[in-house]
């Protein structure tokens, strides 16, 4: 039996497995079958799964995964338009896909979904639900000549679950690229074993009560995993913290909002960067984000920028995305900057209206989603950059905060 306890692993660090298929081919049955739970509602009425259903579990040896049971998108019910849009969104966060289909039935749907996954370079395999136990025709089998497929009778498979799961996992392991399976640690290339790291965490009005925010928690964990010595302080105690250390720290990492304050405190020979820039280097394409900064100088009063955040959070009155960055940019440019904010998994389709996208570190989404956002911006020819880079740029400290990455590349 698989372990199906809920884990604390953030969504962004899980392998996302998307299940696609026409309505009533057994998608939800398969998801339930893998998770061992009634995660999705299984019904004989076409289109019961009206929205994508997410289930997190540990699927050894793949590790923490999120199973995404997408809504069937081939029916003609009133809800189907909305379903199509929601299912299409899942493409952007799927690391590996499973297409469920009936034996000897290959329709436009399977053809299109295969093409879309290939376009997105998402690895996939097929599960053929042969519940009538038919022989598979040569005409049908020709569609799988380049792909992996497993033939099964989903309804009857309960007694053979272990064997089926083992086959499925073996096949998944063989198609998932190495870099997706083994996510690089946040500390990669910048922090080594036994190095001393000082994390500067401001507790301003935007900080949640009684806890740290996810990028800070993930960074602490990454430092501990690297066997580094990690010290956490606020910017107000940073000077005293450094004075009490016998040796200088190897690197200081701060929240973007206190870049200027921290730089005034730390000596010039200590490496220095921000949480946001570390996430940008780890989850997206560092060079593209750095290149995007150049667009700031060309901004005109009639231009509009998009502030993109990958989570929805309660915005405080000095929110970094909605208040601090627009204010800093307006001051730098000498005119009031126009901007929109997108948050959570929604990402605008009409990017053409923006002259620049400024994205948060994206700690809550996986690398696949972040890269999709970069690709989408590139398709529309819109420069994209990162919170920490923008704040450092307007404070004239970009060279300093990007040095840990440039040095090692
Ligand atoms: S997803 Fe973005 S805005 Fe939300 S906590 Fe992570 S870095 Fe901050």
């Amino acid at each position: 039996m698989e372990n199906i306890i809920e884990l604390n692993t953030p969504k962004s660090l899980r392998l996302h497995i998307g299940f696609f298929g026409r309505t009533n081919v057994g998608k939800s049955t398969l998801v339930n079958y893998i998770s061992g739970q009634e995660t999705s509602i299984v019904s004989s009425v076409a289109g019961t799964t009206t929205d994508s259903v997410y289930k997190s579990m540990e699927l050894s040896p793949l590790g923490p995964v999120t199973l995404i049971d997408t809504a069937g998108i081939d029916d003609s019910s009133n809800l189907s338009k909305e379903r199509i849009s929601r299912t299409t969104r899942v493409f952007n966060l799927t690391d590996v896909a499973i297409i469920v289909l009936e034996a000897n039935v290959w329709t436009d749907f399977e053809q299109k979904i295969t093409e879309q996954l290939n376009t997105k370079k998402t690895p996939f395999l097929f599960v053929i639900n042969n519940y009538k136990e038919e022989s598979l025709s040569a005409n049908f089998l020709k569609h799988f000549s380049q792909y992996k497929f497993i033939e099964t009778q989903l309804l009857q498979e309960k007694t053979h679950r272990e064997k089926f799961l083992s086959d499925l996992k073996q096949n998944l392991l063989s198609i998932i690229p190495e870099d997706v399976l083994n996510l690089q640690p946040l500390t990669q290339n910048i922090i080594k074993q036994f190095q001393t790291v000082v994390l500067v965490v401001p507790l301003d009005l935007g900080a949640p009560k009684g806890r740290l925010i996810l990028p800070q928690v993930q960074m602490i964990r990454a430092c501990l995993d690297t066997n580094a010595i990690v010290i956490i302080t606020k910017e107000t105690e940073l000077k005293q913290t450094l004075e009490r250390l016998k040796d200088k720290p190897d690197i200081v990492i701060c929240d973007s909002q206190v870049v200027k304050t921290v730089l005034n405190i730390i000596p010039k020979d200590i490496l220095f960067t921000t949480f946001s820039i570390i996430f940008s280097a780890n989850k997206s394409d560092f060079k593209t984000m750095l290149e995007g900064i150049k667009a700031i100088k060309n901004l005109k009063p009639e231009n509009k920028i998009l502030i993109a955040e990958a989570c929805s959070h309660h915005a405080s009155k000095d929110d970094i995305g909605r208040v601090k960055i627009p204010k800093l940019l307006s001051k730098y440019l000498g005119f009031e900057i126009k901007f929109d904010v997108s948050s959570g998994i929604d990402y605008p389709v009409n990017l053409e209206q923006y002259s620049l996208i400024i994205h948060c570190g994206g700690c809550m989404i996986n690398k696949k989603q972040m890269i999709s956002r970069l690709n989408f911006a590139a398709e529309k020819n819109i420069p994209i950059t990162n919170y920490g880079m923008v704040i450092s740029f307007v404070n004239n400290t970009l060279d300093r905060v990007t040095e840990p990455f440039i040095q090692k590349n």
Side-chain angles (χ1 to χ4, degrees):
M1 255 316 255
E2 298 303 320
N3 181 6
I4 47 171
I5 51 168
E6 286 292 342
L7 300 174
N8 290 325
T9 313
K11 262 194 204 157
S12 56
L13 300 182
R14 295 171 175 279
L15 180 78
H16 285 63
I17 309 176
F19 293 77
F20 299 88
R22 285 176 292 108
T23 44
N24 264 16
V25 291
K27 244 183 349 307
S28 301
T29 308
L30 179 60
V31 172
N32 294 345
Y33 193 58
I34 294 172
S35 68
Q37 292 185 330
E38 288 297 305
T39 305
S40 310
I41 304 158
V42 181
S43 160
S44 58
V45 180
T48 300
T49 312
T50 54
D51 200 354
S52 301
V53 177
Y54 295 73
K55 179 68 195 166
S56 296
M57 64 181 289
E58 182 77 17
L59 192 61
S60 174
L62 295 168
V65 299
T66 296
L67 311 180
I68 313 168
D69 182 9
T70 62
I73 55 175
D74 61 325
D75 69 289
S76 54
S77 69
N78 289 338
L79 283 170
S80 66
K81 205 170 164 202
E82 176 61 8
R83 271 180 227 181
I84 290 167
S85 131
R86 284 174 196 259
T87 297
T88 307
R89 259 184 245 154
V90 175
F91 276 118
N92 292 337
L93 57 117
T94 295
D95 293 309
V96 60
I98 295 177
I99 304 172
V100 188
L101 73 171
E102 286 171 273
N104 295 324
V105 182
W106 182 273
T107 67
D108 261 10
F109 173 86
E110 284 79 19
Q111 188 61 38
K112 280 190 188 134
I113 214 120
T114 305
E115 284 165 11
Q116 269 184 286
L117 290 167
N118 275 327
T119 307
K120 295 226 167 254
K121 297 192 173 58
T122 304
F124 61 91
L125 59 80
F126 294 91
V127 170
I128 302 170
N129 185 8
N130 192 355
Y131 57 93
K132 292 183 197 154
E133 300 190 46
E134 300 170 17
S135 331
L136 301 182
S137 70
N139 204 26
F140 178 68
L141 283 171
K142 74 173 188 225
H143 297 290
F144 309 100
S145 56
Q146 308 167 42
Y147 306 118
K148 302 230 173 233
F149 69 90
I150 303 174
E151 185 191 349
T152 185
Q153 294 89 42
L154 279 176
L155 293 176
Q156 278 83 49
E157 278 288 343
K158 278 202 166 124
T159 48
H160 302 106
R161 184 172 179 269
E162 294 306 313
K163 162 89 178 65
F164 172 75
L165 278 183
S166 160
D167 283 355
L168 184 72
K169 287 188 286 191
Q170 264 328 102
N171 278 289
L172 283 173
L173 278 170
S174 69
I175 59 168
I176 301 170
E178 190 67 22
D179 61 331
V180 174
L181 265 187
N182 302 312
L183 290 175
Q184 300 303 335
L186 282 170
T187 50
Q188 197 205 16
N189 293 337
I190 51 163
I191 299 169
K192 296 193 179 65
Q193 188 175 29
F194 306 137
Q195 285 191 329
T196 308
V197 184
V198 174
L199 304 181
V200 186
V201 173
L203 296 183
D204 60 5
L205 290 174
K209 212 171 170 197
R211 63 183 172 86
L212 297 177
I213 58 174
L214 192 59
Q216 296 157 354
V217 174
Q218 288 187 15
M219 197 63 227
I220 295 168
R221 177 58 199 252
C223 289
L224 295 175
D225 284 339
T226 309
N227 299 331
I229 297 137
V230 54
I231 296 159
I232 305 150
T233 184
K234 296 192 303 244
E235 73 283 13
T236 41
E237 282 74 51
L238 177 61
K239 191 165 175 293
Q240 288 85 339
T241 306
L242 297 179
E243 282 166 3
R244 287 189 189 189
L245 286 176
K246 191 161 86 42
D247 300 312
K248 284 180 190 166
D250 294 283
I251 187 165
V252 172
I253 301 165
C254 74
D255 190 286
S256 310
Q257 315 187 49
V258 290
V259 158
K260 210 171 158 189
T261 314
V262 171
L263 259 188
N264 287 334
I265 297 171
I266 59 170
K268 286 198 166 48
D269 58 346
I270 296 179
L271 280 181
F272 169 60
T273 193
T274 74
F275 291 106
S276 177
I277 293 175
I278 289 182
F279 274 87
S280 164
N282 181 259
K283 295 218 164 186
S284 63
D285 183 71
F286 184 79
K287 285 187 184 146
T288 303
M289 291 295 210
L290 197 54
E291 189 66 24
I293 274 288
K294 293 182 183 159
I296 291 182
K297 289 203 161 147
N298 301 326
L299 288 172
K300 307 263 176 328
E302 61 273 22
N303 295 151
K304 190 152 69 160
I305 61 171
L306 175 70
I307 302 280
E309 293 188 334
C311 73
S312 313
H313 60 257
H314 173 70
S316 67
K317 70 179 170 66
D318 61 350
D319 187 72
I320 182 167
R322 291 155 185 81
V323 181
K324 286 184 178 161
I325 290 180
K327 215 161 149 183
L328 279 170
L329 271 181
S330 298
K331 191 171 166 208
Y332 175 84
L333 292 164
F335 55 83
E336 204 66 26
I337 194 82
K338 295 190 192 74
F339 68 99
D340 288 336
V341 177
S342 77
S343 57
I345 58 165
D346 290 326
Y347 194 58
V349 284
N350 52 349
L351 286 185
E352 300 83 0
Q353 57 176 314
Y354 302 109
S355 302
L356 174 66
I357 300 164
I358 304 177
H359 208 293
C360 73
C363 75
M364 301 251 188
I365 55 176
N366 61 13
K367 188 162 183 162
K368 174 97 190 191
Q369 276 171 289
M370 200 67 201
I371 294 290
S372 285
R373 291 178 176 209
L374 259 68
N375 288 344
F376 192 39
E379 271 168 34
K380 309 262 176 175
N381 216 8
I382 312 295
I384 181 165
T385 189
N386 158 274
Y387 274 24
M389 290 180 185
V390 170
I391 294 177
S392 303
F393 173 78
V394 297
N395 280 305
N396 209 16
T397 59
L398 190 61
D399 287 349
R400 182 82 193 273
V401 293
T402 52
E403 189 189 348
F405 309 92
I406 310 282
Q407 246 189 12
K408 317 281 177 194
N409 285 339

